[in-house]
Amino acid sequence: MILPNLKEAKQRTNKEVVIKTNEYHVDEELKSLGVNKKYFLKTYGCQMNEHDSENIKAILEEMSFTETDVMEDADFILLNTCAIRENAHNKVFGMVGRMKHLRETKPNLITGICGCMAQEETIVEEIMQKYKWLDIVFGTHNIHRLPQIIKEKLEKQKQEIEVFSIEGDIVENIPVKRDSKYKAWINIMYGCDKFCTYCIVPYTRGKQRSRTPEFILNEVRELIEDGYQEITLLGQNVNAYGKDLKIDYNMANLLEDVAKTGIARIRFVTSHPWDFTDEMIEIIKKYDNIMPYIHLPLQSGSDRILKLMGRRYTKESYLKLYKKLKEALPYSSITTDIIVGFPGETEDDFKETLEVVKECEYDSAFTFIFSPRIGTPAAKMEDHVSLEEKEKRLYELNELVNKYAKKANDKYLEKVVPVLIEGVSEKNPTMMMGYTDTMKLVNVKNAADFVGKIVNVKITDVKTWSLDGELVID
Ligand code: SAH
Ligand code: SF4
Ligand code: F3S
């Protein structure tokens, strides 16, 4: 049993990152463990977790498990969890309740929890006390060890917990089963060293470790060969890519090299305003296959709150960067993340956030009420604002965000835009869906024959969160 340790998770030393190319393996005897057995995997949280789940699926399939999307049919149920806010926790424990019921009727069912919540000391303590029947718990640094963890559980017949709290190395040989045949996530870096005072990620994901350009570019080339049209370069703050590498190579260099591979569409998330360089802007402008879409989290418009958050920029420097981006890339769409109700946020601080939203007129924004995370500095800050007041602020902010989202979408009416058709629309099964270069969701008529292709679409109707359109045949 290896339990998480917050103090160790927080540590950052000069220990060199080791790239491990042989670390993952499945013992011969485990390759048939999943024969005639099904797994159900549910994923919470960010794209990084989605991509981790693609790794977990491939590992389970190398053990001969097959996937099911019906939890009741599964022999192995695994929840890949997120720790970013309290409500994520509540959702997971709701599911755990359902798993317990199933286990009562299916004694051989294996149940498990992994991901960022497994990295939290208090969560694992809770599991050990109240959920003794949960079979396996493993952390974000332990994914490649899944076959051994399952084996341990089956051999010892007791709860198996393995959560490393380390700064982290890079394991390069984990297999992947991608959810899409057209779009792919590529990790370009792991972890985060920014330590924004409200955020749990630097504790759950370890220190910033950039993958080498060779591994990334090889992955891109393989995806091109497999017919992929779009890749998203993933990291908690991708602009800081390369700073921890021994070579002189940065995000602008990587974007340029990826663009030169010729893949049709390149996206990247998330950009921290702090590290966004002019060189990057030049490269985005220069290459048509780098999509004109930037997610640029603001968090707050008040300098006082930004300082308390440890965000390392001011309202003025954020707005300067925003304007520079819009001048260089006028067609681009820009989205953001905002937290309301950070400890000590006054009405005036909140008004400043609204001011920035009015100035930037974002294409869309993810908005959150501050959620204290145990172990982070902000969780200990004094907070006098009531939940009712925070909810009122969130509502007011959302009204404004929605207004500008609609305004941004209105500009698309009657325009012809490129859309990568992905599949049947969830809202209307007679239509197909896909995204524009600027990341707008479009429901498209008569496009069933064009799945996996980038086609021109004329926008015929505009809503706040999506567009409707029809195929343009040239
Ligand atoms: N690395 C990204 C953010 C990843 S987390 C960045 O720096 O921009 C995604 C979003 O969740 C954050 O941008 C923030 O708005 C929100 N978030 C993170 N911790 C939070 C907390 N404790 N309470 C509320 N929202 C939080
Ligand atoms: Fe969290 Fe800040 Fe790192 Fe983003 S940059 S993951 S908000 S600590
Ligand atoms: Fe959540 Fe972990 Fe991502 S906390 S947002 S799943 S890095």
Side-chain angles (χ1 to χ4, degrees):
M1 191 186 297
I2 301 170
L3 301 178
N5 180 312
L6 208 77
K7 244 199 205 132
E8 282 169 22
K10 193 157 50 177
Q11 234 176 36
R12 295 293 184 268
T13 65
N14 288 329
K15 194 181 147 279
E16 207 175 304
V17 173
V18 182
I19 300 172
K20 298 175 170 168
T21 49
N22 287 315
E23 191 74 359
Y24 163 77
H25 66 275
V26 190
D27 293 341
E28 220 35 59
E29 47 164 342
L30 298 179
K31 285 194 179 150
S32 53
L33 194 118
V35 170
N36 295 329
K37 292 197 174 91
K38 293 185 184 136
Y39 71 88
F40 171 85
L41 174 59
K42 178 145 178 77
T43 311
Y44 301 82
C46 63
Q47 295 99 329
M48 230 148 290
N49 243 23
E50 296 282 349
H51 189 40
D52 285 350
S53 283
E54 294 184 332
N55 290 133
I56 293 169
K57 286 179 187 180
I59 296 176
L60 290 172
E61 299 196 6
E62 289 198 352
M63 297 173 74
S64 304
F65 283 95
T66 49
E67 188 174 4
T68 173
D69 48 15
V70 184
M71 184 161 105
E72 287 70 18
D73 288 348
D75 304 281
F76 178 28
I77 302 177
L78 182 62
L79 307 181
N80 188 9
T81 63
C82 168
I84 204 87
R85 285 170 292 273
E86 187 66 21
N87 59 1
H89 168 275
N90 299 342
K91 276 189 217 157
V92 166
F93 280 102
M95 277 294 270
V96 167
R98 281 177 61 195
M99 279 152 71
K100 184 166 189 233
H101 272 294
L102 283 173
R103 208 170 184 280
E104 280 157 9
T105 55
K106 252 188 176 180
N108 292 329
L109 178 69
I110 308 174
T111 53
I113 283 196
C114 62
C116 286
M117 267 171 69
Q119 296 291 140
E120 293 185 282
E121 268 176 37
T122 48
I123 297 288
V124 174
E125 276 161 21
E126 190 177 348
I127 290 174
M128 286 165 69
Q129 282 163 15
K130 292 198 213 148
Y131 304 91
K132 291 194 175 73
W133 53 269
L134 256 173
D135 297 300
I136 62 174
V137 179
F138 62 97
T140 59
H141 301 287
N142 306 71
I143 293 173
H144 62 286
R145 301 243 328 130
L146 180 55
Q148 287 80 357
I149 295 168
I150 296 179
K151 182 183 164 190
E152 290 274 308
K153 158 69 206 165
L154 295 176
E155 278 176 1
K156 295 191 183 144
Q157 283 301 327
K158 60 173 199 222
Q159 193 169 60
E160 179 60 25
I161 302 177
E162 185 183 293
V163 182
F164 298 156
S165 294
I166 47 174
E167 293 176 86
D169 291 323
I170 296 181
V171 183
E172 279 294 355
N173 68 329
I174 308 181
V176 59
K177 183 197 174 200
R178 299 191 187 272
D179 290 337
S180 161
K181 289 198 200 86
Y182 320 110
K183 300 203 299 189
W185 312 112
I186 299 186
N187 277 322
I188 61 167
M189 63 208 292
Y190 300 97
C192 180
D193 288 342
K194 288 278 192 283
F195 285 99
C196 302
T197 58
Y198 50 83
C199 183
I200 194 78
V201 173
Y203 308 78
T204 63
R205 295 271 170 176
K207 79 168 166 194
Q208 173 174 321
R209 288 106 68 204
S210 299
R211 286 178 79 201
T212 63
E214 291 76 25
F215 278 109
I216 298 168
L217 291 166
N218 277 342
E219 200 170 333
V220 178
R221 288 188 202 105
E222 277 170 23
L223 288 164
I224 295 173
E225 270 177 32
D226 291 344
Y228 279 81
Q229 298 278 351
E230 180 175 312
I231 53 162
T232 303
L233 307 175
L234 284 182
Q236 288 300 347
N237 59 98
V238 290
N239 309 2
Y241 170 80
K243 287 190 171 180
D244 54 308
L245 287 174
K246 292 242 166 58
I247 50 171
D248 186 17
Y249 192 86
N250 60 28
M251 185 58 180
N253 302 134
L254 180 69
L255 275 176
E256 179 151 38
D257 282 343
V258 174
K260 283 181 181 163
T261 64
I263 183 111
R265 286 180 158 197
I266 302 158
R267 301 188 191 278
F268 53 95
V269 279
T270 298
S271 290
H272 190 297
W274 169 249
D275 296 301
F276 219 118
T277 61
D278 290 351
E279 206 187 343
M280 274 179 68
I281 301 175
E282 279 312 306
I283 297 291
I284 300 169
K285 203 172 155 177
K286 184 168 163 193
Y287 291 92
D288 287 348
N289 56 347
I290 304 179
M291 296 296 99
Y293 163 69
I294 293 149
H295 186 60
L296 195 68
L298 167 70
Q299 313 300 2
S300 168
S302 149
D303 285 346
R304 199 177 68 81
I305 297 294
L306 284 171
K307 198 154 191 212
L308 287 173
M309 287 176 161
R311 286 292 286 184
R312 310 176 200 207
Y313 52 84
T314 59
K315 172 184 172 181
E316 194 192 333
S317 65
Y318 181 94
L319 285 172
K320 205 170 142 204
L321 171 63
Y322 188 94
K323 280 176 197 147
K324 211 190 302 179
L325 281 166
K326 274 287 173 189
E327 264 162 38
L329 310 157
Y331 170 69
S332 64
S333 67
I334 302 185
T335 57
T336 199
D337 290 347
I338 296 168
I339 298 175
V340 301
F342 187 83
E345 183 190 68
T346 63
E347 193 56 39
D348 281 349
D349 291 320
F350 175 62
K351 288 255 156 63
E352 291 209 62
T353 299
L354 296 180
E355 286 313 312
V356 178
V357 174
K358 281 180 198 157
E359 215 164 321
C360 294
E361 304 196 352
Y362 294 105
D363 283 79
S364 106
F366 297 103
T367 57
F368 313 100
I369 291 180
F370 167 74
S371 173
R373 309 315 294 138
I374 296 171
T376 63
K380 293 191 212 96
M381 292 180 190
E382 252 185 273
D383 186 6
H384 298 297
V385 184
S386 67
L387 180 62
E388 196 188 349
E389 176 59 35
K390 289 178 186 176
E391 280 170 350
K392 213 178 97 207
R393 286 181 194 170
L394 184 69
Y395 182 82
E396 194 178 338
L397 174 63
N398 284 344
E399 290 286 293
L400 201 63
V401 164
N402 295 354
K403 179 177 125 186
Y404 291 119
K406 176 73 166 57
K407 187 173 168 191
N409 278 357
D410 279 341
K411 294 188 193 130
Y412 284 73
L413 194 62
E414 305 291 327
K415 295 254 160 52
V416 175
V417 286
V419 175
L420 169 57
I421 303 291
E422 290 181 24
V424 177
S425 158
E426 271 177 32
K427 288 227 172 96
N428 182 345
T430 67
M431 289 170 108
M432 304 305 279
M433 58 74 66
Y435 288 88
T436 64
D437 47 355
T438 52
M439 202 64 180
K440 302 278 176 192
L441 172 64
V442 192
N443 293 308
V444 189
K445 262 191 229 156
N446 305 329
D449 296 338
F450 296 88
V451 176
K453 302 220 160 49
I454 298 168
V455 293
N456 283 333
V457 173
K458 185 170 182 189
I459 302 304
T460 51
D461 196 12
V462 170
K463 298 168 182 141
T464 304
W465 302 121
S466 66
L467 308 169
D468 284 346
E470 55 196 25
L471 200 67
V472 179
I473 314 265
D474 347 78

